[in-house]
């Protein structure tokens, strides 16, 4: 069974996530326990060879160290390196996060691992009875280690990676064509694009709050406020669509008028048609001799 959990980020935005309850967490724990028992069995086989040579004290010491490393180090190492996932959680699509939605670090994984060994499951946990009772009483399915570390296990959503399509609302096409988008920074445009791609994953009130804040930032940059009656997502979508259209037009014109690139090693070939020759100059004609002046004195 799953339940919605309200995680509040540092920006006071409520995220809608699914808290993993006892069934999914128990199955993931069983997978991890099986892997730990297999590793422990292999370690016992190796250490038995050490005890066969007569050094039983060394074999017992190594066994205790190996036991702690497998039962405590396994979840700590995996949750630290994979940001909150062991092999069992990976198989079930679960992840450990902080109560504010951030990724766990080594100190969170260490507290969870030590509490799991000594309180929740093995030493004082009566083979998991403490963890089961605590998880059933918790509204988010948290065990003692989660309360001590300030963590929560959630069901991780893994949507297919895709590029969000930003369309132009037909009612805003002419209005957007008159905007001055030269001052719109790339980081703000990227934030708007990420918001539009995650709108369906947020609660309506969270999506509206984030959209309003981004729309105010874009309006202050481009100098065009949100038209009356237009939702924030439509305003942001129109701005991004117009920006993309202008960028594509610039790119197309640059490719169309770019000179051909020189190919290394290519030889010059004369054109198939000869270059047009300039017209031949017109022949210079001598002016006709002027008629002799009849009134000139003889030479």
């Amino acid at each position: 069974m799953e339940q919605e959990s309200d995680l509040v980020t540092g920006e006071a935005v409520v995220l809608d996530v699914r808290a993993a309850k006892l069934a999914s967490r128990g199955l993931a724990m069983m997978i991890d326990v099986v892997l730990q028992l297999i590793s422990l069995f292999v370690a016992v086989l190796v250490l038995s060879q050490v005890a066969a040579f007569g050094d039983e004290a060394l074999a017992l010491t190594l066994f205790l160290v190996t036991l702690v490393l497998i039962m405590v180090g396994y979840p700590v190492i995996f949750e630290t390196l994979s940001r909150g996932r062991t092999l069992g959680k990976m198989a079930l699509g679960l992840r450990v996060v902080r109560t504010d939605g951030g990724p766990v670090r080594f100190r969170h994984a260490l507290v969870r691992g030590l509490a799991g060994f000594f309180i929740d499951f093995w030493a004082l946990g009566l083979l998991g009875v403490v963890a089961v009772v605590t998880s059933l009483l918790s509204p988010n399915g948290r065990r003692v280690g989660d309360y001590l570390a300030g963590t929560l296990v959630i069901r991780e959503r893994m949507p297919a990676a895709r590029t969000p399509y930003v369309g132009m609302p037909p009612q805003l096409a002419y209005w957007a064509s008159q905007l001055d988008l030269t001052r719109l920074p790339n980081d703000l445009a990227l934030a708007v694009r990420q918001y539009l791609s995650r709108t369906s994953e947020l609660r309506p009130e969270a999506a509206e709050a984030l959209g309003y804040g981004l729309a105010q930032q874009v309006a202050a940059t481009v100098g065009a406020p949100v038209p009356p009656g237009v939702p924030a997502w439509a305003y942001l979508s129109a701005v991004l669509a117009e920006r993309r259209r202008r960028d594509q037009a610039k790119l197309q014109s640059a490719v169309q008028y770019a000179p051909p690139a020189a190919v290394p090693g290519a030889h010059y070939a004369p054109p198939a048609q000869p270059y047009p020759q300039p017209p031949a100059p017109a022949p210079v004609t001598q002016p006709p001799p002027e008629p002799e002046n009849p009134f000139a004195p003889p030479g």
Side-chain angles (χ1 to χ4, degrees):
M1 181 179 178
E2 298 173 359
Q3 178 178 344
E4 293 184 1
S5 175
D6 295 341
L7 295 186
V8 182
T9 65
E11 293 79 13
V13 176
V14 179
L15 300 180
D16 183 9
V17 297
R18 296 285 183 177
K21 300 306 289 290
L22 181 61
S24 57
R25 294 191 61 177
L27 185 57
M29 181 65 185
M30 289 177 59
I31 296 175
D32 291 330
V33 169
V34 170
L35 295 176
Q36 288 174 308
L37 292 179
I38 293 175
S39 302
L40 190 60
F41 177 74
V42 174
V44 170
L45 291 180
V46 174
L47 294 176
S48 62
Q49 302 298 324
V50 178
F53 290 98
D55 199 346
E56 297 181 358
L58 177 60
L60 180 59
T61 303
L62 293 178
F63 173 76
L64 294 177
V65 173
T66 304
L67 178 64
V68 174
L69 289 178
I70 292 177
M71 305 308 294
V72 179
Y74 168 84
V76 172
I77 293 174
F78 271 94
E79 290 182 1
T80 302
L81 297 180
S82 62
R83 296 296 186 181
R85 294 190 299 173
T86 59
L87 295 179
K89 292 182 176 64
M90 291 180 187
L92 271 291
L94 307 181
R95 182 184 292 273
V96 182
V97 297
R98 301 198 306 263
T99 52
D100 61 352
V104 295
R105 302 185 182 277
F106 173 74
R107 63 178 182 273
H108 306 97
L110 181 61
V111 172
R112 281 175 48 84
L114 292 176
F117 181 79
F118 290 103
I119 302 176
D120 285 320
F121 300 108
W122 308 119
L124 303 176
L126 303 177
L127 298 179
V129 175
V130 174
V132 171
V133 174
T134 307
S135 180
L136 290 175
L137 296 178
S138 172
N140 295 326
R142 302 169 68 186
R143 60 179 176 87
V144 177
D146 292 317
Y147 283 104
L148 294 177
T151 57
L152 173 70
V153 179
I154 64 172
R155 178 167 293 279
E156 188 179 31
R157 297 176 179 176
M158 302 178 62
R162 64 185 185 276
T163 302
Y165 172 75
V166 179
M168 170 66 73
Q171 301 84 353
L172 301 177
Y174 177 77
W175 171 84
S177 63
Q178 310 298 322
L179 296 178
D180 181 15
L181 303 179
T182 56
R183 295 179 298 173
L184 182 63
N186 294 330
D187 54 350
L188 181 57
L190 179 60
V192 173
R193 182 175 296 275
Q194 293 177 348
Y195 160 74
L196 293 176
S197 65
R198 297 180 54 226
T199 304
S200 59
E201 303 177 5
L202 302 175
R203 288 185 175 180
E205 56 272 16
E208 183 178 356
L210 287 177
Y212 177 80
L214 290 174
Q216 296 303 316
Q217 297 182 38
V218 173
T221 303
V222 303
V226 181
V230 176
W233 67 265
Y235 171 82
L236 297 174
S237 181
V239 171
L240 279 194
E242 179 63 22
R243 187 173 187 263
R244 181 186 58 189
R245 185 191 67 80
R246 296 182 186 181
D247 292 342
Q248 291 177 351
K250 292 179 181 179
L251 180 61
Q252 184 177 2
S253 61
V255 172
Q256 182 178 359
Y257 296 103
V263 180
H267 301 284
Y268 172 77
Q273 298 293 336
Y275 292 105
Q277 300 294 331
V284 180
T285 58
Q286 297 293 334
E290 298 181 0
E292 184 178 359
N293 188 359
F295 302 103

